[in-house]
Structures are given as structure tokens and as C-alpha cells.
Amino acid sequence: MGIGRSRAARSQAATASGHGHVIQVSGDGNTVCASGHEDPTPILRLPAEPAHLAGREKEAEAVLALLAPSSRARATPVVSVLSGLPGIGKTALALHVAHQAVARGWFPGGALFLHLRGHDPAGPVGAEEAMGTLARALCVDDAVTPDEQTGLCQAALNRLADEGRAVLLIADDASSAAQIERLVPARSAHRLLVTSRHLLTGPSFQARLFGLDELAPLGAADLIAEALRHARPDDPRLRETDAIAELAGHCGHHPLALQIAASLLTTDPGRAIVELVAELADAHTRLDVLRYEDGGHTTAVQAAFHLSYQRLLPHHRQLFRQFALNPGPDTSTDAAAALWGQPRARTRNGLAALARAGLLAEQPVGSGRWRMHDLLRVYAARLVESDSAKWRSAAFTRLLKHCQSLVQAANAHLHTFDDGPLPDDFQDRAHAVQWLEDERANLMALIARAAATGHPRAVLDLQEKMRPFLLSRRSYAADAVTVTQLAVDCAREIEHPCCEATALNNLSQILPDCGRVDEAVEAASKSLDISRTRGDRMRQATALTSLGASLQRAERFEDAVKAHTESLTLSKELGDQGCIGKALMGLADTLYETDRYAEATEVLNESVRHFAAMGDWHAEGLQLMRLGDALFAMKRSAEAVETFRRALVLYQERGDEHHQAIALQHLWSVSDMSAEEAVDNYQRLVAVCHKVCDRALESVALNALGNKLKQLGRYEEAVAAYRDAAAIHEERDEERLLLTVLKNLGIALRTAGRITEAVEVHEREIELARARGDGHKEAEALERLATTLRCGRRRLEAVEARVRAVGLYREQKDTWCEGRALGDLGLRVRDAPRADRTKAGYTWVLANLPSDNEVGQEVGILFALVVMHVRAGRVIAAFWAWASLTKLMVRRLDEGGNQLPEQCFQTVKQLMKTAVHGVRPFQALTAWRNRLRRPTT
């Protein structure tokens, strides 16, 4: 059956210039049929394309790939669904790709935009009404039943497909799969692109799903800037890039919020961006600010959210509101179940329903971790405030108890020193550590919220349980300080001096890791004062041990020894075996650090006997390893090896793989073994550390493994080991250790002939040392970079790097290293004939540089090198120094603007004067000629 016109349609037809027909379609507009009287052909319509689509380039390319003609030859889904939360930019992206596809000639039959009003307050467009709109657009005959109408439309689309005229249908704002099932083309030549806040799926509806998230920060800022530029190209606010970026952040990088913010700025050109940023800074009023009114028409983020919220079932609305009670960045399924007070399976179904509605997202998919957009969280928090305080408190209390229970179970896996059964909440230690890593940010936020909402005892409990994990990583020290300070405040709030003393004691142990040693001493002293005031001798002994540790970190070693000795005496008077052991450990550590190895060994032997008598095999093993370190430092290697073996056997008997790995690392560090044996041992150690999730020791083992592999000439394997170690240090934010690994990695890459990669690693090393303010490490890294560049035949760059190292050594007045670096540049100022004279000449040239030298220290050093090389008759070395000097000067001139050329000219003139006064070029050239002249008989 061909495309025709109904009797009613023909009766309303009027000739249009003799070439086409205009058919009135039930008041919705006109569809122009551009063919002859008997064979009308539809011209389908699209709304205008968005003026600017920022930050969606990647998504647009992915959708276009499915619309491309090449995709139709494959088994590609005919339907594509763009889903996401309200206002995320689904319609804008659909229109953009539709216009792009039509412009590229992919759909000769045209494109049709159907607005299904899935979330309109007046109600959505029905499936039959949507099919009727398509029928009118295709100019098909009227039908008696919906099924007949569907068949006529499919026949029309099939004919267009046979004629090579593919059609693109866009169904915007669909609310359900049933609403669009009839619109799905039967032939794969056509495409249906759907936008919806829901994930549209069903047994009879198969589609390719595209989930849209908020924009990236750069794309979000670009959207605001482009709107300002489009309205007023000379808008001075376009230069406020930092303020624009901050504004985009307060909008949650949400396209609708960004567009509203941009409209507020464009309609009020005198409004400063920082003023709008300040208004949006308050989360409680943020949604009120993100509202734009124009002639009675209001566009608001909150209104868009409300339409989706109203469509939820009542119990899903409750879950949505309660989700905002968790202050962390995401929520696990178990935590959501605790908040909601429902079984896990039902909670999972509820969360999935919220995700289908575009109000939640599981990130990553299958992880059981759910994330709500920042603006949606603000909206949910506003809604939950309308619920009763008792209901909110009960939900939050359930969440607190859930987290307290799991943190306690995780600690049992991390620090199990007895033979009792472990909680079955976690499979093993690695699982427990991973859970703590995943939940750390949530737990930190939860503790802060608990402190602010009147749950002080929960704060004290969570802080105590979280402390061991937070102390296991230096990068978490700041978090540990934050929660411990909250614990101190909560203890004071409930007027509990014992808890306050304990919290202060804990705080003193954490502050040194943040570089706040004096504050640590003060906290320990306050804890000691409280304990003495209350006559609590037990806590007094504990405080003295912490004070001794803080004094040791402050390098007040005699005071530290005194505090530990006093703690030991008091503990023995009390007969508290635990306090005695801690005091012995603290005293031994202080003596060991001050190189008083003999005294430390005596204390360590006593502590080993003490913990053995107590049956504390874990502490006994730790003290054995510390004793082995002390014995090795005293050059009693055989005894050290035997001591480490005792610790290893102790942990093997208890099946403690984690501490077995630590004991093995200590043992192998002092044992004589071949490189091949060491490689095998360290590979096993790495595997064990990875299994027990000890990332710190794993990085140490990987670095040692790399060293042994490099020793055997297995450079590629060494590079891989060093890279793994570097990744761990970066993950743990351990910059000092990362510098050492980067040094080893760069050397291994150079030796393996991978010069480009080695240069990149050395540059990273230089950047890191500079950021840390470690000039000496930076200079050493520059020397390694110079060596690598020279191996790559990049001589000029090598000279420049070495000169920069010389400059850093001069700034630090490190004459020995400066002399070494100058020797590598060919200027022997040490251990060579006439070295003193060479050094004096070099120093004299630098000393006579102008005081206002604008071109930098490097230029002066290079010029001094040129002068002294010429004076010594070393023409090749002088040439490379002069070439580097020329290159550096040209670069400075390019970068220096208008004033630098004159400054450079004055400096060079002064340098030339210095050279003329300090050096006799004619005599130098004569000496060089005489050295090259062949002897005569």
C-alpha cells in the first residue's frame, strides 16, 4: 500500500504554487508534502539546534556512530535512549546529533521531533496520540483502529527505506517504554532516538542506553563563558576565569543550573560573578537562587527535580529523602538499608528504581555504591527537613550503629593478635582494608555530622575504631587529626575528663605526622595534667609514654628518655603489664634513634622477655625485629640474622602472613644471598604483601626487587617493578619515598636504552623535589637528567641541565658537589693540575658579573665556563658551553618582551669586559696551537 491521503485530508488540500499541497493537521501546524497530487512525500521537521553544546563532544560522537549509515550494516540497535537526571542536557544533545546527522546526508527522508511530555504536569502524550502525530507527518491515510494506524505508518516507513530515504525519529521526554513501543521502526534503515529521565527497558523494547552525567569542570565553565560571549562579546567578566570555574562548581556542573546562572548574568550585565558565587555558596538557599523568571515563565532546577520526585511511589520517595541523611559522597547498599530500615534486597530494588528515574546512579555499575548529584542532594535534604525530627534521628542512629559495627569488624581483621574467631562481615584482611578505603570519606563525614547533631559518644567510639586504620597511612594523618580533635571536643561537651585525656593522648600520637610536633607535646602534657589532677595513675603512665614519643619526635631526646623511664617506673609500681610493655618499647625506640645501641639492646631484650611472659606473641615478634635492627647496627650480623629468624618462626607458627612478610624483609636485608635468590625471595614477598594488602611494605619490596633485577641486567623487569612501587607511593602520597623510586626508575630506563621515558621520569623527579623545596635533591636529579640527555646525544640540553645543577649547588654553598658537577662539564676544579687556579679564575669571572644581572645565574655560569675553557685551550668544551649560552640567550629574548633585549645587551657587554680583563685570548689560542703542533726533529 502506498503513501496516500485520507478523504478528509484531500478535502482540505489546496494547491500551493502548482507543486505541492498544504494539509491542515488538526490545528497542530502544517505539513508540506512536496510531491505531486497522487504521491505526496513528507518533509519532516526539527526544532533549532542548540547554539552551543559544551562538554558533550565525546557523547555526541558515540551517538553519531550509532546513527551513521555504516552502523546499519551491522546488528546495531534501531533505538537509542539518552537518559539522565532532569536538566542534564538530554534534549540539547539529541537535537545536536540530529542536525549533524541530517546535515551529513545520513537521513535523506528527513527527521521528525516528537515531544512526548513525559513529565508535564498536564500529563504525558499517549502512545496512540504519538502515533497519530507520526501518521500526519508521514501523510498516511486515516485508520479506524490504533493497530491499523501503526501498520500504515510502518508501511510508509518501509517504502521510504526501499527508496533509500532513511528517517530519523526523535522522541523527547518519554516516560515509559509503552509510550514509544509503537514508534520503533520495523526496518533497520531508520533510527529512533529517545530522551528520558528513566532507563527505558522492557521485554519487547530493546535499546542502546546512553547515561548522561554532569559536565566536566572545563566544559561547565565553557558553557557559562560561551553564553556570556554570545550575549556580549566584550563582556569584561569573561576574564574572570577562576570565578566562572567556582560558579560552575556551585552549580554542580549541571547544564540546566549552568544555563540559569548564565541567564542571571547575561540579563544583569552589572552583576559581578563573585556576587552570584557568594549567593550560591549557601547550600540551604542554592536552589532558590537557581531560578530564572521571564514574563511569567519560570525556569528552576528545583521545579525540574520536583516533577521527577512526584512520579515516585510513596516508599521510594521516603528512600530518596533518607538518602540525604548520609553526609558522605556516596552510599553503599548496606548503608542505605540501615538508613531506610529495610532488608538489603528490598533496598537494592528501591535504589534501582531511583536510578531508573534518573535521581541516582550506581558508580561504578555493579559496585553497590550509589551517588546522588550535589543539587539533587540539596533538594533531598530540603525535603527531609519536613519529616519529623524523631524519624530523622532514628534513621541517622541506625546508620551510625551500622558503621560502628562494620568498623569494629574491619579492625578485628586488621589487628588480630589472638586465636579467636574473626567476624564474618569480611572475607579476609584485604577485604576489610578495601572496605575501609571505600568508606573512609563517608566515615569522616559521618563523624563530623554526628558531632554536630548531638551524638558525642558515637564520635568517641568511631574515632577510637578508625584511628588504627588512619594511622596506617601518612596521607590520612590530617583526617586522623580532624576526627581526634572532634573526639576531644565531644569529651569536653559531655564533661568526661577520662575520655578527654584519652583523646588528647591519641591526638599527641597523630600530630607529629602532620609536622605539628610542638602541638603534640602540648596535647600529651595536657593529658598528663588531667590524669595527675584526677589521680588516675594508669592514664598517667600512658600519657607519659605518649609524651616521651612526642618529645622524641621533637628531638628532645633526654626529656624523652626521662618521660619513658618515669612511665616504666610507674607502670611497674602499678603492675600493669600492658603499660610496662609500651614503656619499654618507647624507651628502646628513643635509645635506638640516638645511636645508643648497647642500652637499646638491653631494653629490647627485656621487652622480648616481658611480652613472651605475657603471651603477646605479636608484640614479642615486633620487638625481636627491632632487636635485630639494633644488633645489625652494632655489626653483630650473625646475631641479627638469628633474631630475625626467631621473629619469622614465631609468626609462621601463628599463621600471620602479614608479619611473616615484614620479618622476611628484615631478614633478607641483612642476609648474604645471590642476586638470583634475592629476586625469587622478593617476588614471593611482593605476592604476600599484595595478598595481605600491606601497600607500604609492598612498595619497599618492589623497590628492592627492582634493584636486584637491575643488578642482573634484567632492566625491563626492573622498570616494571619500579613503576609499580612508584604507583603505590603516589597512591599513598609518600613524596620522599617516591623520589627514591623515581631515581632508580630513571636510571633503569636509561640503561635499558629508553631515553625518552627516562627523561620524562627525571623531569618528574625534578618537579617533585622543587615542590618539596629540596634544592639538593633537585640538583642531583638535574645531574641524572644531564647524563641521560647526553646518552641520547642531546648535548645542549645536557649542558643546560648540568648548569642548572651547578647553580643550585652554589645557592646552597655546597662546593664539593659544585666541583663534581663542574668536572662533568669539563671544568676540572678539583683533583687536577692547576685546579686551584682554574677554580679561582671561574670564581673571579662570576664575582665580576653585574649586581643587577637580569638574565639569570645560568647565563653567568655558562659564560664563566666559556672563558675558563678557552683559557685552558679546551676548544670543544668551550664550543658546547658557548652553544648552550647562545641558545639560552635566544630563548630568554623570546620570552622577555620589550625590555629584556636591552638588559641582555648590558649584561653581555659586562661579561665581555670581564672576559677581556680576566683572560688573554691571544695567549690561550697560542697555547692551543702549540699543543696541536706536531713535534719536529
Side-chain angles (χ1 to χ4, degrees), residues 375-659:
L375 293 178
L376 269 173
R377 184 179 288 276
V378 172
Y379 174 67
R382 176 173 290 190
L383 291 176
V384 82
E385 288 298 322
S386 62
D387 294 316
S388 70
K390 182 179 180 181
W391 181 82
R392 295 197 308 271
S393 178
F396 187 71
T397 301
R398 288 195 300 269
L399 179 62
L400 278 174
K401 291 181 178 178
H402 165 78
C403 292
Q404 286 174 272
S405 173
L406 285 179
V407 172
Q408 183 173 356
N411 263 339
H413 281 271
L414 262 66
H415 307 283
T416 173
F417 308 136
D418 54 39
D419 299 323
L422 291 173
D424 57 3
D425 299 270
F426 301 101
Q427 300 168 4
D428 51 26
R429 184 179 188 276
H431 185 201
V433 171
Q434 189 59 53
W435 182 85
L436 287 168
E437 292 284 357
D438 293 339
E439 291 288 349
R440 180 181 62 86
N442 287 315
L443 290 169
M444 290 294 300
L446 186 69
I447 292 172
R449 173 73 65 87
T453 54
H455 297 82
R457 295 191 181 278
V459 172
L460 291 168
D461 181 63
L462 275 172
Q463 175 269 332
E464 188 67 31
K465 292 172 180 174
M466 280 286 292
R467 193 170 65 90
F469 168 70
L470 294 175
L471 289 177
S472 67
R473 278 200 185 186
R474 188 179 183 87
S475 56
Y476 294 164
D479 287 348
V481 169
T482 299
V483 297
T484 309
Q485 187 61 64
L486 286 173
V488 172
D489 297 338
C490 287
R492 289 170 180 167
E493 178 186 336
I494 61 177
E495 298 181 352
H496 200 307
C498 293
C499 289
E500 182 183 354
T502 300
L504 283 168
N505 189 58
N506 293 339
L507 186 62
S508 71
Q509 297 171 18
I510 302 166
L511 285 168
D513 289 333
C514 296
R516 298 161 63 179
V517 178
D518 293 338
E519 294 176 64
V521 173
E522 182 182 356
S525 300
K526 286 182 180 178
S527 177
L528 180 60
D529 291 341
I530 293 173
S531 302
R532 282 174 172 166
T533 301
R534 293 183 55 81
D536 190 337
R537 302 184 74 199
M538 190 74 70
R539 282 191 170 82
Q540 186 178 337
T542 303
L544 281 167
T545 299
S546 297
L547 177 60
S550 300
L551 290 168
Q552 177 184 337
R553 295 290 292 271
E555 298 185 356
R556 295 166 55 182
F557 297 113
E558 292 303 323
D559 292 337
V561 169
K562 182 179 178 181
H564 284 307
T565 304
E566 186 178 350
S567 174
L568 180 59
T569 302
L570 182 57
S571 299
K572 287 181 177 179
E573 291 175 3
L574 294 169
D576 188 304
Q577 302 301 312
C579 287
I580 293 173
K582 291 177 181 178
L584 285 169
M585 287 192 291
L587 180 58
D589 282 343
T590 305
L591 293 170
Y592 180 87
E593 189 167 343
T594 53
D595 299 337
R596 295 160 65 176
Y597 300 123
E599 297 174 69
T601 300
E602 293 179 8
V603 176
L604 285 166
N605 277 314
E606 183 182 351
S607 66
V608 168
R609 291 191 296 270
H610 174 80
F611 288 118
M614 285 181 60
D616 188 344
W617 57 268
H618 172 71
E620 180 186 356
L622 291 178
Q623 293 304 97
L624 280 169
M625 287 189 282
R626 175 61 83 179
L627 176 60
D629 290 335
L631 290 168
F632 185 73
M634 296 170 66
K635 303 186 184 304
R636 294 160 61 178
S637 302
E639 295 175 70
V641 169
E642 180 58 31
T643 304
F644 288 137
R645 289 191 187 280
R646 285 173 58 194
L648 178 60
V649 169
L650 184 65
Y651 290 127
Q652 285 174 336
E653 290 174 351
R654 299 291 179 169
D656 188 338
E657 289 185 301
H658 181 205
H659 288 88

Side-chain angles (χ1 to χ4, degrees), residues 819-859:
R820 181 192 63 202
L822 286 170
D824 292 333
L825 284 166
L827 187 66
R828 303 295 180 184
V829 295
R830 221 179 47 200
D831 303 330
R834 296 184 295 178
D836 292 340
R837 184 176 177 185
T838 304
K839 177 69 173 178
Y842 168 79
T843 305
W844 186 85
V845 172
L846 287 180
N848 282 275
L849 287 176
S851 58
D852 57 345
N853 178 16
E854 297 289 345
V855 292
Q857 184 183 52
E858 293 175 42
V859 172

